[in-house]
Amino acid sequence: MHTDDLYAVYGASGYGREVMPLARQQLAQAGVPAERLVFVDDAPEAPLVNGQRVMTYAQLLAEPAARRHVVLAIANGTVRESLAKRCARDGVQTWTVSASNVVRMDEVQLGEGAVLSPFVTLTSNIRIGRHFHANLYSYVAHDCVVGDFVTFAPGVQCNGNVVIEDHAYIGTGAVLKQGRPGQPLVIGRGAVVGMGAVVTKSVPAGVTVVGNPARAMA
Ligand code: UDP
């Protein structure tokens, strides 16, 4: 990290306001001055949010900086993907923000641009793709494989040997039953798991499941 660099939390709404303090603490520990951290939002509602400067994306690009680093703090994975493309096109770096109390065990591969909220645990032998969000108190257990732009709401319990494909959204407090080695439980691409669902079987791509045991919504 370099003090001439500029750091941004993209999204100044609900989730962005939860990510900003984590970003602030991470930079403080790295010795980066607080004024090098800003919010970016395409529809800014105020010049300051919780004391932090808010700028548009065009202003971020215009601001003098050696390099620009952005963490995408918007829960919608499809929006994250389009913003990630825009940032890549403009030479803006992806940035991972992690709470200081996150637990990471052995052999965790974490793709770029993740947000790991307070009390998240990633156990051992896990592979996770790009721009993953793990919200408060969620965990990923052993031998899971998580795709790109996957979102965990708070309190998701993802047990061992589960595969989660790109763009899946797992709602608050959902429980994913463990799979077996070589026979994972699979949450398909773009599937949605409703809050509190107890998922005991694989979920096909694009399907929304709710309840206990989780079933496809009619
Ligand atoms: N936003 C943006 N660019 C986009 C889509 C969204 O800057 O292409 C901003 C939007 O203006 C809002 C925030 O991202 O301030 C998304 O907030 P929302 O409350 O919808 O979601 P959350 O914060 O819960 O992810």
Side-chain angles (χ1 to χ4, degrees):
M1 297 206 191
H2 198 275
T3 50
D4 294 337
D5 288 7
L6 189 61
Y7 294 86
V9 173
Y10 207 135
S13 187
Y15 195 52
R17 284 183 284 113
E18 294 187 346
V19 173
M20 179 56 83
L22 310 177
R24 197 186 290 131
Q25 187 182 26
Q26 195 169 303
L27 289 184
Q29 277 166 359
V32 176
E35 63 272 13
R36 303 308 289 163
L37 176 62
V38 299
F39 277 114
V40 167
D41 203 288
D42 292 310
E45 290 188 359
L48 285 178
V49 167
N50 293 346
Q52 214 84 38
R53 211 152 44 116
V54 184
M55 54 176 65
T56 62
Y57 183 71
Q59 287 169 325
L60 175 82
L61 295 184
E63 184 87 3
R67 285 182 306 177
R68 296 169 186 80
H69 307 259
V70 166
V71 63
L72 302 173
I74 295 171
N76 183 312
T78 308
V79 171
R80 290 209 295 286
E81 183 166 30
S82 68
L83 295 179
K85 282 188 183 140
R86 180 197 272 182
C87 288
R89 187 195 64 206
D90 296 329
V92 173
Q93 319 276 310
T94 51
W95 185 29
T96 291
V97 170
S98 176
S100 58
N101 68 356
V102 165
V103 175
R104 265 173 87 151
M105 298 185 180
D106 289 336
E107 304 296 332
V108 175
Q109 276 179 43
L110 181 64
E112 63 184 15
V115 182
L116 305 178
S117 290
F119 305 101
V120 162
T121 299
L122 308 176
T123 75
S124 297
N125 304 97
I126 292 167
R127 210 166 71 227
I128 296 173
R130 301 163 58 226
H131 297 279
F132 177 53
H133 279 186
N135 211 319
L136 305 168
Y137 291 98
S138 53
Y139 69 76
V140 182
H142 65 89
D143 300 304
C144 287
V145 178
V146 177
D148 297 332
F149 304 101
V150 169
T151 307
F152 280 15
V156 168
Q157 300 177 49
C158 175
N159 292 301
N161 286 300
V162 169
V163 170
I164 303 184
E165 295 178 353
D166 299 349
H167 285 286
Y169 179 92
I170 317 296
T172 298
V175 180
L176 310 182
K177 186 183 179 187
Q178 71 184 69
R180 298 210 183 116
Q183 272 181 284
L185 182 139
V186 180
I187 308 293
R189 184 186 166 87
V192 175
V193 175
M195 69 171 95
V198 177
V199 180
T200 57
K201 292 181 182 150
S202 292
V203 177
V207 166
T208 297
V209 297
V210 294
N212 176 11
R215 294 189 206 291
M217 254 174 45

